[in-house]
Amino acid sequence: MPFALKKRDLLLIGVAILILAFLWQAPPESTSRVPYDDTHRQYYDIVKAEGKKAAEKFCEECHNPQEIPFPEGHPGKYRCLFCHKMERP
């Protein structure tokens, strides 16, 4: 018996194509990553050992209005690694 597409099959395929087209239009990632350099390397170890929240406690030591200020409109602190992903060492 040959395979015949029914109306619901075509509808499902159409919805899937719409979802894929929507996801394809997503903007590229624009948030900078946490560099894997001498300054930040120690925090990679903390993330591996204790998790992101443990490492985020130290971000404000350097990233503050006196040393490295946040750009205007930057979201609240203490959730740095929610947006700023770690580079792969």
Side-chain angles (χ1 to χ4, degrees), residues 1-87:
M1 180 158 74
F3 180 72
L5 290 176
K6 297 179 182 173
K7 190 174 185 178
R8 69 172 186 209
D9 297 329
L10 294 173
L11 182 63
L12 180 64
I13 292 170
V15 169
I17 290 172
L18 285 173
I19 291 172
L20 288 173
F22 175 76
L23 293 175
W24 191 269
Q25 297 299 318
E29 185 176 329
S30 60
T31 305
S32 60
R33 291 183 173 265
V34 177
Y36 189 71
D37 57 12
D38 291 336
T39 304
H40 295 91
R41 192 168 291 126
Q42 60 187 329
Y43 305 112
Y44 278 78
D45 296 334
I46 294 172
V47 168
K48 285 181 185 174
E50 302 175 42
K52 291 179 179 181
K53 287 193 177 197
E56 288 173 331
K57 295 176 186 175
F58 301 100
C59 295
E60 194 176 3
E61 290 178 4
C62 298
H63 298 277
N64 58 54
Q66 292 76 33
E67 293 184 44
I68 303 172
F70 294 123
E72 189 175 322
H74 191 276
K77 45 192 168 179
Y78 303 121
R79 288 309 325 246
C80 306
L81 298 179
F82 182 75
C83 295
H84 297 279
K85 306 299 181 208
M86 308 292 276
E87 287 185 0

